Coordinates of all heavy atoms in Angstrom, one line a residue:
D36 N -6.0 18.9 -0.8 CA -6.8 19.3 0.4 C -6.3 18.7 1.7 O -6.9 18.9 2.7 CB -8.2 19.0 0.2 CG -8.5 17.5 0.1 OD1 -7.5 16.7 0.2 OD2 -9.7 17.1 -0.1
G37 N -5.2 17.9 1.6 CA -4.6 17.3 2.8 C -5.1 15.9 3.1 O -4.5 15.2 3.9
S38 N -6.1 15.5 2.4 CA -6.6 14.2 2.6 C -5.6 13.1 2.1 O -4.9 13.4 1.1 CB -8.0 14.0 2.0 OG -7.9 14.1 0.6
V39 N -5.6 12.0 2.8 CA -4.6 10.9 2.5 C -5.4 9.7 2.0 O -6.3 9.3 2.7 CB -3.7 10.6 3.7 CG1 -2.7 9.5 3.3 CG2 -2.9 11.9 4.1
K40 N -5.0 9.2 0.9 CA -5.7 8.0 0.4 C -4.7 6.8 0.4 O -3.6 7.0 0.0 CB -6.2 8.2 -1.1 CG -7.3 9.1 -1.1 CD -8.1 8.9 -2.5 CE -9.5 9.6 -2.4 NZ -10.5 8.6 -2.1
K41 N -5.1 5.7 1.0 CA -4.3 4.5 1.0 C -4.6 3.7 -0.2 O -5.8 3.3 -0.4 CB -4.5 3.7 2.3 CG -3.8 4.3 3.5 CD -3.7 3.3 4.6 CE -3.0 4.0 5.8 NZ -3.6 3.7 7.0
M42 N -3.7 3.6 -1.2 CA -4.0 2.9 -2.4 C -3.0 1.8 -2.6 O -1.9 1.8 -2.0 CB -3.8 3.9 -3.6 CG -4.6 5.2 -3.5 SD -6.3 5.2 -3.7 CE -6.5 4.9 -5.4
S43 N -3.3 0.8 -3.5 CA -2.4 -0.2 -3.7 C -1.2 0.3 -4.6 O -1.5 1.2 -5.4 CB -3.0 -1.4 -4.3 OG -3.7 -1.0 -5.5
Q44 N -0.1 -0.2 -4.4 CA 1.1 0.2 -5.1 C 0.8 -0.1 -6.6 O 0.3 -1.1 -6.9 CB 2.3 -0.5 -4.7 CG 3.6 0.2 -5.0 CD 4.8 -0.6 -4.6 OE1 4.8 -1.8 -4.7 NE2 5.9 0.1 -4.3
G45 N 1.1 0.9 -7.5 CA 0.9 0.7 -8.9 C -0.4 1.3 -9.4 O -0.7 1.2 -10.6
V46 N -1.1 2.1 -8.5 CA -2.3 2.8 -9.0 C -1.8 3.9 -9.9 O -0.6 4.4 -9.8 CB -3.1 3.4 -7.9 CG1 -3.8 2.3 -7.1 CG2 -2.3 4.3 -7.0
T47 N -2.7 4.4 -10.7 CA -2.4 5.5 -11.6 C -3.1 6.8 -11.1 O -4.1 6.6 -10.4 CB -2.8 5.3 -13.0 OG1 -4.2 5.2 -13.1 CG2 -2.2 4.0 -13.6
P48 N -2.7 8.0 -11.5 CA -3.4 9.2 -11.1 C -4.9 9.1 -11.5 O -5.8 9.5 -10.8 CB -2.7 10.3 -11.9 CG -1.3 9.8 -12.0 CD -1.4 8.3 -12.2
M49 N -5.1 8.4 -12.7 CA -6.5 8.3 -13.1 C -7.3 7.4 -12.2 O -8.5 7.7 -11.9 CB -6.5 7.7 -14.6 CG -7.9 7.7 -15.3 SD -8.6 9.4 -15.2 CE -8.0 10.1 -16.8
D50 N -6.7 6.4 -11.6 CA -7.4 5.5 -10.6 C -7.7 6.4 -9.4 O -8.8 6.2 -8.8 CB -6.4 4.4 -10.1 CG -6.1 3.4 -11.3 OD1 -7.0 3.3 -12.2 OD2 -5.0 2.8 -11.3
V51 N -6.8 7.2 -9.0 CA -7.0 8.0 -7.8 C -8.2 9.0 -8.1 O -9.1 9.2 -7.3 CB -5.7 8.8 -7.4 CG1 -6.0 9.7 -6.2 CG2 -4.6 7.9 -7.1
A52 N -8.2 9.6 -9.3 CA -9.3 10.5 -9.7 C -10.6 9.8 -9.6 O -11.6 10.3 -9.0 CB -9.0 11.0 -11.1
K53 N -10.7 8.5 -10.1 CA -11.9 7.8 -10.1 C -12.4 7.5 -8.7 O -13.6 7.5 -8.4 CB -11.7 6.4 -10.8 CG -11.8 6.6 -12.4 CD -11.7 5.3 -13.1 CE -11.6 5.5 -14.6 NZ -10.8 4.5 -15.2
S54 N -11.4 7.3 -7.8 CA -11.7 7.0 -6.4 C -12.3 8.2 -5.7 O -13.0 8.1 -4.7 CB -10.5 6.4 -5.6 OG -9.7 7.5 -5.2
V55 N -12.0 9.4 -6.3 CA -12.6 10.6 -5.7 C -14.0 10.8 -6.3 O -15.0 10.9 -5.5 CB -11.7 11.9 -6.0 CG1 -12.4 13.1 -5.5 CG2 -10.3 11.7 -5.4
S56 N -14.1 10.9 -7.6 CA -15.4 11.0 -8.2 C -15.3 10.7 -9.7 O -14.2 11.0 -10.3 CB -16.1 12.3 -8.0 OG -15.5 13.3 -8.8
E57 N -16.4 10.2 -10.3 CA -16.4 10.0 -11.8 C -16.2 11.3 -12.5 O -15.6 11.4 -13.6 CB -17.7 9.3 -12.2 CG -17.7 7.8 -12.0 CD -16.6 7.1 -12.8 OE1 -16.3 7.5 -13.9 OE2 -16.0 6.1 -12.3
G58 N -16.8 12.3 -11.9 CA -16.8 13.7 -12.6 C -15.3 14.1 -12.7 O -14.9 14.6 -13.7
L59 N -14.6 14.0 -11.6 CA -13.2 14.4 -11.6 C -12.4 13.6 -12.7 O -11.6 14.1 -13.5 CB -12.5 14.2 -10.2 CG -11.1 14.6 -10.1 CD1 -10.9 16.1 -10.4 CD2 -10.5 14.3 -8.7
A60 N -12.6 12.3 -12.7 CA -11.9 11.4 -13.6 C -12.2 11.8 -15.1 O -11.3 11.7 -15.9 CB -12.4 9.9 -13.4
R61 N -13.4 12.3 -15.3 CA -13.7 12.7 -16.7 C -12.9 13.9 -17.1 O -12.6 14.1 -18.2 CB -15.2 13.0 -16.8 CG -16.1 11.9 -17.4 CD -17.4 12.5 -17.9 NE -18.1 13.2 -16.9 CZ -18.8 12.6 -15.9 NH1 -18.9 11.3 -15.8 NH2 -19.5 13.4 -15.0
N62 N -12.7 14.8 -16.1 CA -12.1 16.1 -16.4 C -10.5 16.1 -16.2 O -9.9 17.1 -16.5 CB -12.7 17.2 -15.5 CG -14.1 17.5 -16.0 OD1 -14.3 17.7 -17.2 ND2 -15.1 17.5 -15.1
V63 N -10.0 15.1 -15.6 CA -8.5 15.1 -15.3 C -7.8 15.1 -16.6 O -8.1 14.3 -17.5 CB -8.1 13.9 -14.4 CG1 -6.6 13.8 -14.5 CG2 -8.5 14.2 -13.0

Side-chain angles (χ1 to χ4, degrees):
D36 64 1
S38 65
V39 179
K40 287 199 164 262
K41 285 199 178 133
M42 312 283 291
S43 55
Q44 201 183 32
V46 292
T47 65
M49 193 50 92
D50 296 332
V51 179
K53 277 184 190 148
S54 80
V55 175
S56 78
E57 276 300 322
L59 180 62
R61 259 198 309 281
N62 287 313
V63 164

